[in-house]
């Protein structure tokens, strides 16, 4: 993560990961989650911090999640259900359940299907925020599979040449195992900057680089600017400007929208879709090629 987004050393307080997990888990239990589910949620957030992804960790997200439980936009101990299923696929209605709890369960379902038939793909709609989607892709990599995840939420991204937002930051992640080297993990928003990083920038007083956001007329900012009101700005697609390839980021964002919203039978935000939609897929390497040779080649 860029230095500009990190909490100043003078403000840092270091505690053990285990202590943080216990505290965060207790907070989720207070929100009404079962102890086992609260532990899953805590693991997702703390693991993000341990990976250095503070934009999706405890300090940057937990307050927002607590607020959403209080507002009723997140439902604790949800009765999520599978509404459509085949040997290799499933569609889940999360019933307002938190995706950092249901995401690992959806990927586990995809992994089991991939173990049986080679590929497993699960879509989820009517869900809460996904948190760091690379976390779920890594669950597949830990099982000698390739994990692929995407998500769609909100509407803060303006299309190339556009002035009105139509897409979310719509991140995409893919993970693959290796033998002795670290696994490969790509996890990035399809916007010029992740929305949660804007929250970090606001917290630490960092300036935004040119080409990250647009004014209300859709014009890209050309100078470093401080962020005062996140709700008063829009974010540009990955690439920033047309000359720098923002049409590619816009296309990636649309791809994620199709795989999450439309494939789950839900509406994208531009058509009035609410909450978040997610996609989880696992590819059993052994169904395609020798898994040991694959991991040697990855190294």
């Amino acid at each position: 993560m860029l230095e500009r987004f990190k909490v100043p050393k003078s403000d840092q307080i270091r505690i053990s990961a285990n202590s943080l997990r216990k505290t965060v888990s207790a907070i989720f239990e207070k929100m009404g989650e079962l102890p086992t589910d609260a532990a899953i949620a805590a693991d997702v957030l703390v693991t993000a911090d341990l990976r250095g992804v503070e934009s999706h960790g405890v300090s940057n997200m937990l307050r927002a999640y607590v607020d959403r439980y209080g507002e009723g936009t997140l439902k604790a101990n949800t009765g999520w259900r599978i509404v459509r299923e085949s040997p290799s696929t499933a569609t889940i209605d999360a019933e307002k359940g938190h995706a950092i709890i249901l995401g690992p369960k959806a990927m586990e379902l995809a992994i089991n299907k991939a173990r049986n038939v080679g590929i497993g793909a699960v879509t989820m709609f009517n869900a809460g925020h996904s948190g760091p989607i690379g976390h779920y892709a890594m669950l597949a990599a830990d099982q000698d599979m390739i994990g692929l995840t995407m998500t769609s939420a909100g509407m803060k991204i303006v299309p190339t040449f556009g002035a009105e937002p139509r897409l979310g930051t719509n991140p995409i992640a893919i993970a693959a195992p290796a033998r002795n080297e670290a696994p490969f993990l790509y996890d990035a928003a399809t916007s010029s900057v992740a929305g949660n990083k804007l929250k970090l920038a606001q917290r630490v007083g960092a300036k935004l680089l040119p080409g990250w956001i647009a004014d209300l007329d859709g014009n890209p900012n050309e100078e470093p600017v401080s962020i005062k009101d996140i709700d008063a700005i829009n974010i540009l697609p990955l690439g920033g400007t047309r000359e720098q390839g923002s049409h590619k980021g816009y296309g990636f964002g649309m791809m994620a929208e199709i795989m999450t919203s439309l494939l789950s039978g839900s509406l994208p935000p531009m058509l009035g879709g609410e909450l978040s939609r997610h996609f989880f897929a696992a590819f059993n390497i052994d169904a395609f090629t020798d898994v040991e040779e694959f991991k040697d080649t990855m190294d």
Side-chain angles (χ1 to χ4, degrees):
M1 193 165 65
L2 293 176
E3 288 294 329
R4 69 178 58 240
F5 294 122
K6 295 182 179 180
V7 175
K9 290 185 177 180
S10 59
D11 294 334
Q12 292 180 6
I13 300 175
R14 296 188 178 274
I15 61 175
S16 73
N18 287 337
S19 295
L20 186 59
R21 278 193 174 90
K22 291 179 181 178
T23 300
V24 175
S25 182
I27 292 173
F28 277 110
E29 285 188 53
K30 189 70 173 179
M31 295 299 102
E33 299 290 2
L34 297 174
T36 52
D37 289 342
I40 291 173
D43 181 62
V44 172
L45 294 182
V46 175
T47 300
D49 281 324
L50 291 174
R51 284 177 48 217
V53 189
E54 295 175 15
S55 57
H56 290 70
V58 175
S59 67
N60 207 44
M61 294 309 304
L62 187 56
R63 292 182 184 88
Y65 292 156
V66 170
D67 289 342
R68 292 171 194 178
Y69 280 111
E71 296 164 356
T73 54
L74 274 181
K75 181 181 176 183
N77 195 17
T78 178
W80 65 278
R81 58 195 177 92
I82 297 175
V83 297
R84 188 183 291 256
E85 188 172 19
S86 78
S88 62
T89 66
T91 298
I92 294 174
D93 180 353
E95 296 187 345
K96 293 187 177 181
H98 204 331
I100 65 172
I101 293 171
L102 299 183
K105 297 180 181 181
M107 182 53 89
E108 182 181 5
L109 179 59
I111 289 170
N112 289 335
K113 289 178 177 294
R115 189 172 288 118
N116 292 330
V117 297
I119 297 175
V122 177
T123 60
M124 180 188 295
F125 67 96
N126 197 21
H129 188 259
S130 66
I133 63 167
H135 182 92
Y136 318 117
M138 277 297 299
L139 296 178
D142 290 340
Q143 298 296 318
D144 283 346
M145 299 186 187
I146 294 174
L148 176 65
T149 51
M150 305 180 197
T151 190
S152 163
M155 195 165 64
K156 288 293 293 179
I157 311 304
V158 292
T160 300
F161 297 135
E164 297 181 3
R166 286 291 180 267
L167 297 171
T169 55
N170 295 9
I172 299 173
I174 184 170
R179 182 178 299 284
N180 298 314
E181 300 297 331
F184 174 87
L185 173 61
Y186 173 86
D187 178 0
T190 55
S191 51
S192 59
V193 61
N196 286 346
K197 283 189 170 66
L198 297 185
K199 296 179 183 178
L200 279 181
Q202 188 178 44
R203 284 174 55 196
V204 302
K207 289 190 174 182
L208 306 183
L209 293 177
W212 281 0
I213 62 172
D215 62 24
L216 296 181
D217 294 322
N219 300 310
N221 69 303
E222 298 180 355
E223 301 291 338
V225 294
S226 297
I227 185 168
K228 297 179 180 179
D229 184 2
I230 293 177
D231 294 330
I233 65 169
N234 292 320
I235 309 173
L236 294 165
L238 182 64
T241 64
R242 171 64 176 83
E243 293 73 18
Q244 296 295 321
S246 65
H247 55 293
K248 298 179 182 179
Y250 176 29
F252 280 130
M254 281 296 296
M255 180 180 76
E257 200 69 63
I258 292 168
M259 297 299 292
T260 57
S261 296
L262 277 69
L263 196 58
S264 67
S266 182
L267 290 175
M270 68 183 79
L271 297 180
E274 298 180 353
L275 294 179
S276 301
R277 285 77 47 197
H278 312 292
F279 175 82
F280 310 86
F283 300 83
N284 189 347
I285 296 169
D286 191 53
F288 293 87
T289 188
D290 184 86
V291 66
E292 301 305 325
E293 291 182 4
F294 179 93
K295 292 194 287 187
D296 284 340
T297 306
M298 283 295 298
D299 277 2

